[in-house]
Amino acid sequence: MKATKSLLALIAIALLGGNACADPIQEPIRDYLSLQVPERSEFIGTLEFIQRVKVDVDGDGIDEIFIGTWYRHSGSNQAYYWSAYKEVKGGYQRVTPPNQDIHIVSFENVYIGLIQEISKQGIVAAQDVETDTPENAEVIKVGELHFYYVDEGGLVDKKYGSLDLSNAEQKKTYDRYFGMSTKTRKPTSIETFTSQQLKQMGYTIPNWEPPAP
C-alpha cells in the first residue's frame, strides 16, 4: 500500500508538471486562459465564455475552484471540460494536468460528499445517462460512473463502471448518490463570464483557433 501511494504521488507530480513545488497561482482564471491544452484548439476555437465553479470537493470546508467551458465543436452539449485548483498558502495549486482538461458534465447534477466505495470525500458524476422515455425521463442506465477526489496533490478521476438499474445491486449504488433522499453538498457558486466580460476584467483572451493549413 505504501509503495502504491508513493507511485501515485510521483504520477501526480509528473502530471502537474511540478506545479506542487512551484510558486502558488494567484489567479485561477488567468492560469486557465494561459494553459496550452491541445484539445482546446480542436474543440473550442474562439472562446465564447468560461464558467467558474466553487465547490468543497474534499470536505475540509474550503472550496476548490473549477474553471472550464463547453467544447462546442465536439458535437455534444454535455462536453464541459475543466481545470481545477486547490487553495494553498499564498494562493492556489492546480490539481489537474497543465495540458489536459477533465470532463464533468454539470456540477448541478452531481453528488458531493463521502464516496462509500473508496472511503473518500469527493464528487460522483453519472455520464452517458440513458432514460426510458423523454417524457418520463426515468434513468435506466449509466454509461460510466466517475469518482473525482483530491489525493497526493492531484485530482483523481476514477472510473467506477457502468450501471444497469434493472440490476438491484447496481440500482442501489445509483440511488446511494442520486436517490430522492440523498444528502449532498452543493456548489457555493456557479458563475459565467463571457469573453467580453473577461476583457473588461483585464484578462487576455487566448486564440484557440486551429492553425491555418
Side-chain angles (χ1 to χ4, degrees):
M1 180 63 72
K2 290 183 178 179
T4 301
K5 290 183 71 66
S6 298
L7 180 60
L8 285 172
L10 290 173
I11 292 172
I13 291 172
L15 286 173
L16 295 170
N19 188 63
C21 300
D23 293 334
I25 293 166
Q26 299 303 309
E27 293 188 61
I29 290 179
R30 194 177 303 281
D31 180 78
Y32 171 83
L33 294 173
S34 72
L35 295 177
Q36 299 301 310
V37 178
E39 286 80 4
R40 294 183 186 175
S41 290
E42 183 176 357
F43 296 117
I44 299 176
T46 301
L47 182 66
E48 295 182 342
F49 69 93
I50 66 167
Q51 287 191 329
R52 178 174 64 187
V53 179
K54 298 180 180 180
V55 55
D56 182 7
V57 176
D58 52 14
D60 64 356
I62 302 174
D63 286 336
E64 279 68 50
I65 295 179
F66 288 76
I67 310 291
T69 192
W70 177 37
Y71 275 30
R72 60 194 179 96
H73 296 311
S74 67
S76 170
N77 60 5
Q78 296 186 344
Y80 278 79
Y81 286 78
W82 311 82
S83 291
Y85 302 83
K86 182 172 180 61
E87 187 172 333
V88 295
K89 185 176 180 180
Y92 295 89
Q93 171 189 329
R94 191 188 325 106
V95 292
T96 48
N99 61 349
Q100 182 182 353
D101 294 327
I102 63 163
H103 181 212
I104 299 178
V105 174
S106 169
F107 284 89
E108 296 177 339
N109 300 305
V110 297
Y111 165 87
I112 308 167
L114 178 65
I115 306 174
Q116 179 175 307
E117 286 80 0
I118 57 175
S119 301
K120 291 182 179 293
Q121 294 281 332
I123 296 173
V124 180
Q127 298 184 10
D128 298 324
V129 173
E130 182 179 334
T131 58
D132 51 1
T133 64
E135 296 78 15
N136 192 33
E138 185 75 22
V139 175
I140 57 175
K141 289 184 180 180
V142 173
E144 190 77 63
L145 197 67
H146 288 251
F147 299 156
Y148 301 94
Y149 59 94
V150 178
D151 187 53
E152 302 286 0
L155 185 73
V156 178
D157 174 3
K158 180 178 177 62
K159 296 180 180 179
Y160 179 78
S162 61
L163 297 176
D164 182 348
L165 273 61
S166 65
N167 178 291
E169 284 301 314
Q170 294 183 28
K171 186 177 189 304
K172 184 178 178 181
T173 298
Y174 180 86
D175 289 342
R176 180 183 303 131
Y177 300 113
F178 305 106
M180 295 295 292
S181 60
T182 299
K183 294 182 179 179
T184 176
R185 293 194 293 276
K186 297 291 186 182
T188 301
S189 64
I190 300 177
E191 303 167 283
T192 299
F193 304 97
T194 66
S195 289
Q196 185 60 36
Q197 289 174 318
L198 292 170
K199 288 179 183 178
Q200 294 172 352
M201 294 162 67
Y203 295 107
T204 300
I205 306 303
N207 177 14
W208 287 333
E209 289 293 341

